[in-house]
Amino acid sequence: MMEEQQTETAATTDSSGIRKGRFSEGMDPLFAGFNASIGFDRRLFREDIQGSIAHVRMLGAQKIIPTDDADRIEEGLRSVLDDFEKGRIEFREDLEDVHINIEEALKNKIGEVSGRLHTARSRNDQIALDLRLFLKNQSVLIKKVLLGLNWALIEKARNHIDLIFPGYTHLQRAQPVRLSQHLMAYFEMFRRDWERFVDSDKRIDVMPLGSAALAGVTFPIDRKMVAESLKFAGLSRNSMDAVSDRDFVAEFIFNCSLVMTHLSRLSEELIIWSTSEFGFIELPDAYCSGSSIMPQKKNPDACELIRAKTGRVYGDLITLLTILKGLPLTYNKDLQEDKEPVFDSLDTTLASLRVMSGLVGGIKFNAAIMLEAASAPYLAATDVADAMARQGIPFREAHASVGAIIRGEPTNKRFNPPTPEEMVESRCQEGATGKRSVIRQIEEGEDFLRRSGYLNSEAD
Ligand code: ARG
């Protein structure tokens, strides 16, 4: 019985042949499925082949393998790439991961000479390379989408420059502000997010090949050549670090987490503003759903989903940090578990950013209701206290007497509150909510979008 099972196991699992030398027994099918990463790392097949082409060219140029063989392998890899792109070859679970799937496809195409490709390389430095190539590209995309959201925000800010509404602290009406000032606050958050991706790009942009399993290789490789052909800015300095480092992945997910934090805060505000209690905005129908029972309902689903998906991305971050914690040097299979969190956080963040950009573009503001809410006399309390202070009364004293008036104490003081427009306009210094200041912010923001290439490129 036992023996039968083992024969069957062996027959189902050593298709790749990497167990050929060392193992006398096949893999348990249950474990084979558990061990396989092809279900998710297939997403890296382009990067994997791109890396292999750069590697094999270098092997040929350095005469580590015959140039003819290098050429045949390169040609084979290009054709395998095309086969995978067009779906002519399917990924096979029994071939464990993306690397073995590609190796096997190459072998089927060009025969045993394909075996020379893995000279001076390990899957440990190979997967580090793939992930770095992948995140380099994805960072370009996510930065562009972030700028797209900022463009949507700045357009709204420009078009509603004169709209005044209450600014809040503790979710209590505090002082009148321009809506544009509020929107430009989010612009600043997403600009910092963009900068954060720019900053962490340099830690992704490091070429790890040549580290092999952990210690480097015994062949006269040319790492610089590989780095240059793959357009990496530099080489990893320590082979043991290079195969075990996933800090750049953690950083990427953290960057996504903070983007989601900002999206979630914005979502929450839009949800509140769209309630009948507030009535400040009307969300675009295209981003809302109805209720199956209550005909009057229009629900802010997009905002709610973004708010909830933020939790997913935080989860991805904690997953990765927990994987890394306590890992001894160097490569450990634990690191295979980095893929799903990073793919998930990337996909979730990109989708959330795109949905939010579309939604922001379609928001309608109810200017009259918003101004009305900013016109409650007590919103002028600070300004009245300021006026008293200008007349020589110590501010603390002025603060107390205005407070007493608001509480309803009788007073002989004349209380002549300024209008919301006057209050907003009296705050004219840099960064404040006065018109000149907000226009300056918008112009500077447009300048930033231009400098970062957004206004010249196609929006994504
Ligand atoms: N699938 C592996 C990963 O994602 C590739 C590296 C495997 N290396 C190894 N020695 N088993 O990390």
Side-chain angles (χ1 to χ4, degrees):
M1 182 65 199
M2 201 55 213
E3 240 156 82
E4 249 175 55
Q5 252 184 14
Q6 283 176 359
T7 330
E8 194 181 282
T9 305
T12 50
T13 52
D14 195 23
S15 339
S16 70
I18 51 171
R19 296 168 69 85
K20 221 160 32 191
R22 172 69 176 77
F23 295 85
S24 55
E25 236 177 65
M27 218 185 242
D28 182 278
L30 194 65
F31 172 61
F34 190 72
N35 189 44
S37 54
I38 189 63
F40 46 86
D41 66 15
R42 58 170 60 184
R43 195 163 167 179
L44 300 171
F45 78 91
R46 289 184 193 86
E47 288 79 5
D48 197 77
I49 292 175
Q50 194 192 351
S52 288
I53 290 174
H55 178 67
V56 81
R57 277 192 180 169
M58 181 278 291
L59 292 179
Q62 294 295 99
K63 305 277 185 288
I64 295 168
I65 67 170
T67 340
D68 285 357
D69 289 354
D71 291 346
R72 277 174 67 202
I73 293 172
E74 178 175 348
E75 201 183 310
L77 282 166
R78 291 191 191 283
S79 150
V80 165
L81 175 63
D82 197 52
D83 288 346
F84 278 118
E85 296 272 16
K86 306 234 163 85
R88 282 193 295 263
I89 314 179
E90 305 234 308
F91 292 103
R92 280 166 46 190
E93 173 122 344
D94 61 318
L95 294 176
E96 190 175 326
D97 59 23
V98 66
H99 320 300
I100 308 292
N101 266 269
I102 290 167
E103 236 179 274
E104 190 67 12
L106 185 65
K107 189 161 115 196
N108 292 338
K109 190 156 292 249
I110 63 170
E112 292 302 330
V113 65
S114 67
R116 294 198 192 279
L117 169 61
H118 213 57
T119 313
R121 191 177 66 172
S122 150
R123 280 188 293 165
N124 297 354
D125 56 352
Q126 194 178 350
I127 188 62
L129 176 80
D130 293 3
L131 212 44
R132 286 174 180 279
L133 282 172
F134 177 79
L135 289 183
K136 259 171 74 131
N137 290 332
Q138 298 305 312
S139 170
V140 173
L141 180 61
I142 204 162
K143 280 182 293 190
K144 199 152 125 190
V145 176
L146 268 166
L147 296 178
L149 174 57
N150 260 352
W151 178 246
L153 286 166
I154 217 167
E155 274 207 304
K156 285 280 159 191
R158 204 187 318 107
N159 295 337
H160 295 87
I161 187 71
D162 287 321
L163 207 167
I164 291 172
F165 83 136
Y168 292 78
T169 63
H170 312 271
L171 203 54
Q172 309 284 324
R173 285 183 197 167
Q175 290 170 351
V177 291
R178 285 180 191 283
L179 170 69
S180 328
Q181 172 84 346
H182 195 117
L183 295 176
M184 290 307 288
Y186 281 98
F187 184 98
E188 290 300 324
M189 294 179 223
F190 295 117
R191 182 213 304 248
R192 286 196 295 275
D193 292 335
W194 179 88
E195 289 170 352
R196 213 169 277 114
F197 279 104
V198 171
D199 184 64
S200 41
D201 277 347
K202 61 174 178 276
R203 283 175 292 277
I204 298 175
D205 206 359
V206 172
M207 209 290 295
L209 278 194
S211 307
L214 74 162
V217 299
T218 59
F219 298 92
I221 56 171
D222 182 348
R223 299 188 65 208
K224 249 176 113 182
M225 175 183 171
V226 176
E228 273 161 21
S229 73
L230 293 172
K231 301 195 167 53
F232 274 100
L235 300 175
S236 56
R237 284 186 292 264
N238 179 297
S239 62
M240 296 178 79
D241 179 46
V243 294
S244 66
D245 171 33
R246 293 295 183 275
D247 295 357
F248 65 101
V249 182
E251 230 179 310
F252 191 90
I253 306 181
F254 173 75
N255 293 349
C256 290
S257 301
L258 221 41
V259 170
M260 292 304 295
T261 305
H262 299 147
L263 285 173
S264 185
R265 293 182 73 172
L266 179 55
S267 296
E268 175 66 10
E269 297 214 272
L270 297 178
I271 292 168
I272 294 174
W273 290 355
S274 69
T275 58
S276 349
E277 283 72 14
F278 271 73
F280 286 1
I281 60 170
E282 172 99 31
L283 291 171
D285 283 2
Y287 293 88
C288 293
S289 81
S291 154
S292 57
I293 177 168
M294 297 167 282
Q296 85 281 13
K297 290 291 287 292
K298 179 171 149 186
N299 297 325
D301 303 50
C303 297
E304 293 170 310
L305 286 171
I306 290 172
R307 193 172 57 182
K309 283 176 192 291
T310 304
R312 261 173 83 146
V313 177
Y314 292 179
D316 293 329
L317 178 62
I318 294 298
T319 300
L320 186 69
L321 291 173
T322 312
I323 288 168
L324 297 180
K325 160 192 178 300
L327 269 197
L329 289 179
T330 53
Y331 180 84
N332 298 270
K333 196 60 171 268
D334 308 52
L335 294 177
Q336 178 165 292
E337 290 286 310
D338 63 354
K339 314 290 175 310
E340 285 168 294
V342 76
F343 293 157
D344 183 66
S345 52
L346 169 71
D347 295 341
T348 306
T349 308
L350 273 175
S352 303
L353 280 169
R354 287 178 166 137
V355 166
M356 184 57 91
S357 306
L359 181 140
V360 163
I363 296 174
K364 297 238 164 8
F365 293 94
N366 299 324
I369 295 180
M370 292 167 88
L371 179 63
E372 170 68 24
S375 306
Y378 62 83
L379 265 72
T382 313
D383 295 60
V384 172
D386 282 354
M388 289 162 80
R390 270 193 293 274
Q391 284 159 20
I393 303 170
F395 183 79
R396 274 283 158 259
E397 210 177 292
H399 182 277
S401 50
V402 176
I405 296 167
I406 286 173
R407 215 176 50 233
E409 263 179 27
T411 174
N412 52 3
K413 293 202 177 67
R414 288 287 305 142
F415 181 62
N416 221 349
T419 66
E421 291 80 2
E422 287 166 331
M423 286 188 272
V424 165
E425 271 330 280
S426 58
R427 289 166 170 83
C428 55
Q429 66 278 28
E430 193 153 322
T433 193
K435 190 164 180 169
R436 284 226 339 252
S437 156
V438 179
I439 287 177
R440 213 180 302 131
Q441 293 178 50
I442 292 173
E443 284 172 353
E444 194 282 330
E446 285 171 348
D447 214 48
F448 157 74
L449 291 177
R450 224 170 282 123
R451 277 199 314 274
S452 51
Y454 182 75
L455 288 180
N456 320 318
S457 76
E458 264 308 289
D460 216 271

